[in-house]
Amino acid sequence: MATNDSSISKLPLKEIPGGYGVPFLGAMKDRYDFHYNQGTDEFFRSRMNKYDSTVYRTNVPPGPFNARNSKVVVLVDAVSFRILFDNSQVDKDSRFEGTYMSSPNFNGGYKVCAFLDTTDSKHATLKGLILSTLARLHDKIIPIFTSTISGMFTNLEKELSEKGTSNFNPLNDNMSFEYIFRLFCNGKTPTDTSLGTNGPKAADKWVFFQLAPITSLGLKFVPNFIEDLVLHTFPLPYFLVKREHQKLYNAFYNSLGPILDEAEKLGLKRDEACHNFVFLAGFNSYGGLKVFYPSLIKWIGTGGPTLHSRLAKEIRAAVKEAGGVTLAAIEKMTLVKSVVYETLRMDPPVAFQCAKARKNIIVSNHDSSFLIKKDELIFGYQPLATKDPKVFKNPEEFNPDRFIGDGEKLLEYVYWSNGEETVDPTVNDKQCPGKDLIVLLGRLMVVEFFLRYDTFELEFGKFLLGSKVTFKSVTKATS
C-alpha cells in the first residue's frame, strides 16, 4: 500500500466522505452548482465545510457528455495535495485540463507534451527540448521584455489621458503575446507575420474552445441552461477555430527555425515540435500571463501607496546599484520576490490538477488518512490548498511580506507550477517547464512598473478565469 507521507501514514484511517448522487442527475446538479448556483470557490469550500474534511467525494465539471467520468476525490489542503506531484503513484495521461481532454485536432492531431504521462517515452524528449530551449533563451528574457513593455505603458498613459480610465487586460494581452512570440521566434514580432495584430485574439479563441467545458461567460442576458448546453454539454468543434489556429501555427512554423532544427536532431517531426511550441507559447505562456499579470497588478493595487513606496524604493536602489535591470539586481529585491510568490499563492493561474491513481493509495491530510483505490480520479483545487490555515497565517489575506526571511520556508507549499516552488522541473515530472520563467516575468513586471510610476489607483472585478483590472490613475516616478 502506497502513502503520500510515511511520517503521517499512521494517522487514523477514515472513510472518504461525500458522494456522487444519482447517476447523470448528480453530475448535472454539481455542474450547475459549480457554474451558476455557487461559483467555483464556494463549490469546493461549501463541500469541505459540509463534510468537515479537506478530502471528499463529489462530481466536478464538465461531466456529461464532455467527460466520461465526473466522479473524483477532491483534495483541498496543502498536505494531501502533494500526492498529485508523485508520478510513481498517479497517472496524468490526458489529465492536463481536468477530467476531460479537448480534441487533439486543436494541436494538429498530436497529443502534446502537457497531456502525456511521464511513462510515455515521448514525454521526456519533448519536455527536454522545451527545457533546453528555455535555458538557451536565458540571456534574451530581460532585454526582450524591457523593449516590449514600454509600448504597453505608452498606451496605458494615452488611454488615461483620453478616457480617464484604462482597461489593463487588452493592453496586457497585446504585450504578453508579442513578448512570448519574440522570445521564441528570434526577436521577430507577430506583426512581421501573417498574424499581424490579431495574434492575441486568435490565441484567445483557440484557447477558449479548449477550456469552454470548465468556463462560464457570466452573461446576464444568456439563460444559464443555454450557456450550459452550448459550452458544457458537448465539445466545441475544432473547425470553428481552425482558421485562427492555422494562422498561429503558420506564424510559429515560419519563425521557430533553430528550435525545429534541434527537434529534428532529437528524432521529432518538425510539425509535431511546432504544435508543441504553439501550445507552450499560446496556451501555457500567453494564457498564463493573461491571467497572472492582472492578478499581480490587482493585489499590488490593494496594498496602496505604502506598499507602492516600499516597492519603488527597493527596485530603484537595486537598479541604480547595478547600473540597469539585471538578474543580479532583481535577485536583491526580496519584497518584489515575495509579492510575486504571494500573488501565485492567492491566485494560482491554473486552479485545477487532476490525476488517476495507479494503485491503491493512502492519502493523508493534517488529521486523517484515506484510501483512494486504483483508477479513481483525484482532483485538486489549488486556491484552497494554498490557503490552508494550518500552513499559512491569515491565509485569505494578501501579505506582501509573507515569503521574506523565515517566510521563505513556506515556498514549498506554493504549488502553482504543478509542483513545489522549491523543486525544479525535470523531464521525469509534470511540473511546468516554464516555472522559473513565469516567476522572473512577474518580477520584471513589478520592476518595470515601479521604475516608471510611484503609485496608482485601480478597480478590479472577475473576468472569465481571472481578474479584470481598470486603472483610474498613475503617478509618474518623482525620484
Side-chain angles (χ1 to χ4, degrees), residues 295-305 307-308 398-400 456 458 460:
S295 179
L296 179 61
I297 296 297
K298 174 190 74 175
W299 286 116
I300 293 174
T302 64
L307 174 60
H308 302 170
F398 179 82
N399 177 3
F456 63 96
L458 55 71
F460 62 87

Side-chain angles (χ1 to χ4, degrees), residues 155-171:
N155 291 329
L156 169 65
E157 293 175 20
K158 182 180 178 182
E159 284 192 4
L160 282 170
S161 175
E162 295 176 351
K163 303 176 183 178
T165 61
S166 178
N167 184 352
F168 176 69
N169 294 68
L171 298 178

Side-chain angles (χ1 to χ4, degrees), residues 248-264:
L248 287 168
Y249 174 82
N250 290 342
F252 277 96
Y253 189 86
N254 293 325
S255 308
L256 285 172
I259 294 175
L260 301 186
D261 292 342
E262 184 64 25
E264 282 192 308

Side-chain angles (χ1 to χ4, degrees), residues 166-186:
S166 178
N167 184 352
F168 176 69
N169 294 68
L171 298 178
N172 172 62
D173 290 353
N174 290 331
M175 185 279 296
S176 296
F177 187 87
E178 179 182 343
Y179 173 75
I180 293 299
F181 192 92
R182 289 181 63 191
L183 182 64
F184 286 114
C185 298
N186 296 305

Side-chain angles (χ1 to χ4, degrees), residues 332-343:
K332 295 181 179 180
M333 303 175 191
T334 56
L335 179 59
V336 172
K337 182 190 297 186
S338 181
V339 163
V340 169
Y341 284 137
E342 180 71 340
T343 297

Side-chain angles (χ1 to χ4, degrees), residues 410-421:
L410 294 173
L411 285 174
E412 66 174 293
Y413 298 105
V414 177
Y415 300 145
W416 73 271
S417 65
N418 197 21
E420 298 170 23
E421 189 59 35

